Amino acid sequence: IQFDDFNPDESFEDYTPQLNILPRISISFPISDEANFFAHYDVRVQRPSFNQTAASPLHYYYFLRNANNIANPNLKPQTTVDYEVGFKQKISNSAAITLSAYYKEQRNMIQLRTIKNLPLSENNIVSQYTTYDNIDFGTTKGFTFQLDMRRKNNLQGTVNYTLAFADGTGSDANSASGLTQNEVIRTLSPLSFDERHNLNVILDYRYAGGNKYDGPTIFGSDIFANAGINIQTNVVSVRPYTRSVDPTPLPQINGDGIRGTLNGSRKPWIVSLDGRLDKQFDLTKKADGRRGLGLKYLRVTNILNQANVLNVFDATGSPDDDGFLNFSEGRVRLADFGDDERARQSYIDAYRWGVLRPGFFTQPRRIFIGTRFTF
């Protein structure tokens, strides 16, 4: 391409427009007065991201100098096919359960790929390059149970549990980085966003206002009118990761080599508890009968102030220790300080400070106080 007599028509072709037909079918019909059946079939597509398709003439002009992660303007859209069937049943005048099963299939997913044994220069030197291609696929299978309770004796609630299995050949477009020399990998493994268990519980307890108020009074005042509390609990078996054999020094996070299988290890569970107190009150009464409404609330996230773990170091499975200081290379570095104990301890302390990463943990307890007005 750098020669004056280069003919682009011999190397390039126009992109063929893609025609995507996206059917959506949803059905729902009552089996009886107390039961309902529903199902849907849905096809969606997503265009490749800009950095995966945006190959400018400069990329090809300097192709032989940098043949890594070359964009591919000929990528196809990624396709997701979604199936779900479900059943909803009344179990009392104030409660109903919903059971559903779903299957999601992801096709033409984008992944790195190394193209080998190609003559890329005027001397017919056989070489290779890495680009993106539509070679990945994945499936997500799951089951959902939900219990809905209408407000009864001031209490309303929802319980939702989902069991899901997400497997595929790649979690994202760069998950095969460093592995593409082994040709196209078609080994199924848990995807990085695989969450097997997810339990959500929402409870809302509140008192009505006006003539319907049935709460306690203080000095004859219905202080709890139009007030309530909402509690939300979420329990998640968090996502997998690939355990590494040997730790590496900062600033790297991942170690060298794979221990076990790809995404064969699991991070700790996450348990969160959030709450909200609120009270609605009348601001003014206008001549036309309309009222201005105000809402005061106190919201607390992570009530228990738990340091839930979001990420870990691959070599140790710990969120605050990468294992390097206890590794052979780390012990060699410590030995370099000789008898200077103060310098050794300063290095250890500074290294441990550098290991700490706030993004590895959920946010601490936070309290929000606010007011909202409606007219």
Side-chain angles (χ1 to χ4, degrees), residues 1 6-15 55-57 60-61 73:
I1 196 173
F6 174 75
N7 183 5
D9 293 332
E10 296 179 354
S11 300
F12 298 92
E13 62 181 16
D14 292 335
Y15 178 77
S56 71
Y60 297 104
Y61 190 79

Side-chain angles (χ1 to χ4, degrees), residues 13-16 18 48 52-53 71-76 133-134:
E13 62 181 16
D14 292 335
Y15 178 77
T16 302
Q18 298 291 319
Q52 297 164 356
T53 59
N72 182 4
N74 199 37
L75 287 174
K76 299 177 183 178
D133 202 354
N134 298 98

Side-chain angles (χ1 to χ4, degrees), residues 285-297:
K285 184 175 181 180
K286 299 183 178 181
D288 58 4
R290 292 185 301 165
R291 291 177 179 271
L293 299 178
L295 181 71
K296 292 184 177 181
Y297 63 87

Side-chain angles (χ1 to χ4, degrees), residues 44-197:
R44 301 185 302 273
V45 296
Q46 180 180 1
R47 296 179 61 184
S49 63
F50 180 77
N51 65 322
Q52 297 164 356
T53 59
S56 71
L58 286 177
H59 288 94
Y60 297 104
Y61 190 79
Y62 295 107
F63 191 87
L64 296 179
R65 298 185 184 180
N66 182 21
N68 295 318
N69 297 13
I70 301 298
N72 182 4
N74 199 37
L75 287 174
K76 299 177 183 178
Q78 302 175 99
T79 304
T80 299
V81 184
D82 187 16
Y83 309 85
E84 184 181 17
V85 293
F87 175 77
K88 189 170 185 177
Q89 172 70 50
K90 172 185 174 183
I91 58 177
S92 72
N93 290 331
S94 59
I97 60 172
T98 302
L99 304 175
S100 65
Y102 63 90
Y103 178 83
K104 183 184 297 183
E105 183 177 335
Q106 297 167 298
R107 306 171 182 172
N108 291 330
M109 305 303 290
I110 297 172
Q111 185 58 261
L112 286 173
R113 180 179 184 180
T114 297
I115 309 298
K116 296 184 176 182
N117 302 325
L118 294 178
L120 296 182
S121 74
E122 68 278 8
N123 297 322
N124 290 326
I125 298 177
V126 176
S127 186
Q128 63 186 30
Y129 67 95
T130 302
T131 185
Y132 293 97
D133 202 354
N134 298 98
I135 59 175
D136 265 350
F137 64 90
T139 60
T140 303
K141 304 169 286 292
F143 168 84
T144 299
F145 167 82
Q146 182 165 314
L147 171 65
D148 295 297
M149 298 178 292
R150 292 180 178 177
R151 193 171 304 280
K152 183 177 181 180
N153 297 328
N154 307 105
L155 179 65
Q156 179 182 359
T158 299
V159 179
N160 180 284
Y161 169 74
T162 299
L163 173 65
F165 301 87
D167 300 297
T169 56
S171 300
D172 57 66
N174 297 293
S175 61
S177 179
L179 303 175
T180 58
Q181 297 297 326
N182 300 321
E183 304 297 339
V184 177
I185 299 176
R186 290 294 186 183
T187 303
L188 287 176
S189 60
L191 298 176
S192 297
F193 51 84
D194 177 36
E195 293 179 349
R196 296 290 169 87
H197 306 278

Side-chain angles (χ1 to χ4, degrees), residues 82-374:
D82 187 16
Y83 309 85
E84 184 181 17
V85 293
F87 175 77
K88 189 170 185 177
Q89 172 70 50
K90 172 185 174 183
I91 58 177
S92 72
N93 290 331
S94 59
I97 60 172
T98 302
L99 304 175
S100 65
Y102 63 90
Y103 178 83
K104 183 184 297 183
E105 183 177 335
Q106 297 167 298
R107 306 171 182 172
N108 291 330
M109 305 303 290
I110 297 172
Q111 185 58 261
L112 286 173
R113 180 179 184 180
T114 297
I115 309 298
K116 296 184 176 182
N117 302 325
L118 294 178
L120 296 182
S121 74
E122 68 278 8
N123 297 322
N124 290 326
I125 298 177
V126 176
S127 186
Q128 63 186 30
Y129 67 95
T130 302
T131 185
Y132 293 97
D133 202 354
N134 298 98
I135 59 175
D136 265 350
F137 64 90
T139 60
T140 303
K141 304 169 286 292
F143 168 84
T144 299
F145 167 82
Q146 182 165 314
L147 171 65
D148 295 297
M149 298 178 292
R150 292 180 178 177
R151 193 171 304 280
K152 183 177 181 180
N153 297 328
N154 307 105
L155 179 65
Q156 179 182 359
T158 299
V159 179
N160 180 284
Y161 169 74
T162 299
L163 173 65
F165 301 87
D167 300 297
T169 56
S171 300
D172 57 66
N174 297 293
S175 61
S177 179
L179 303 175
T180 58
Q181 297 297 326
N182 300 321
E183 304 297 339
V184 177
I185 299 176
R186 290 294 186 183
T187 303
L188 287 176
S189 60
L191 298 176
S192 297
F193 51 84
D194 177 36
E195 293 179 349
R196 296 290 169 87
H197 306 278
N198 193 320
L199 174 66
N200 285 282
V201 180
I202 302 176
L203 298 176
D204 188 271
Y205 188 91
R206 62 185 59 252
Y207 295 104
N211 298 329
K212 296 182 179 181
Y213 179 71
D214 57 352
T217 59
I218 299 179
F219 301 110
S221 173
D222 53 352
I223 188 173
F224 295 109
N226 294 318
I229 180 172
N230 184 280
I231 299 294
Q232 301 180 25
T233 302
N234 181 234
V235 181
V236 180
S237 63
V238 291
R239 302 177 176 185
Y241 71 99
T242 303
R243 193 73 179 264
S244 59
V245 178
D246 299 327
T248 54
L250 291 177
Q252 298 183 60
I253 296 178
N254 300 328
D256 294 329
I258 293 179
R259 178 186 301 175
T261 59
L262 189 66
N263 276 344
S265 300
R266 292 275 172 174
K267 303 170 189 176
W269 286 54
I270 290 180
V271 180
S272 62
L273 179 65
D274 303 329
R276 169 177 166 139
L277 286 169
D278 60 76
K279 178 177 173 59
Q280 182 175 298
F281 56 92
D282 292 337
L283 294 175
T284 58
K285 184 175 181 180
K286 299 183 178 181
D288 58 4
R290 292 185 301 165
R291 291 177 179 271
L293 299 178
L295 181 71
K296 292 184 177 181
Y297 63 87
L298 169 69
R299 182 165 61 92
V300 183
T301 60
N302 194 5
I303 295 175
L304 302 179
N305 199 31
Q306 292 182 278
N308 286 308
V309 177
L310 296 177
N311 204 355
V312 295
F313 290 99
D314 291 348
T316 61
S318 170
D320 52 15
D321 180 16
D322 67 351
F324 177 73
L325 294 179
N326 296 322
F327 184 55
S328 57
E329 185 180 342
R331 291 194 294 268
V332 169
R333 289 197 182 185
L334 293 178
D336 291 341
F337 291 100
D339 296 331
D340 193 344
E341 185 63 30
R342 180 176 181 181
R344 180 188 296 106
Q345 189 60 46
S346 296
Y347 176 81
I348 293 174
D349 292 341
Y351 192 91
R352 289 176 176 171
W353 298 335
V355 166
L356 295 178
R357 299 175 182 271
F360 277 25
F361 300 90
T362 55
Q363 294 278 2
R365 181 191 299 120
R366 292 177 295 168
I367 301 175
F368 303 85
I369 300 175
T371 301
R372 188 173 66 199
F373 302 99
T374 304

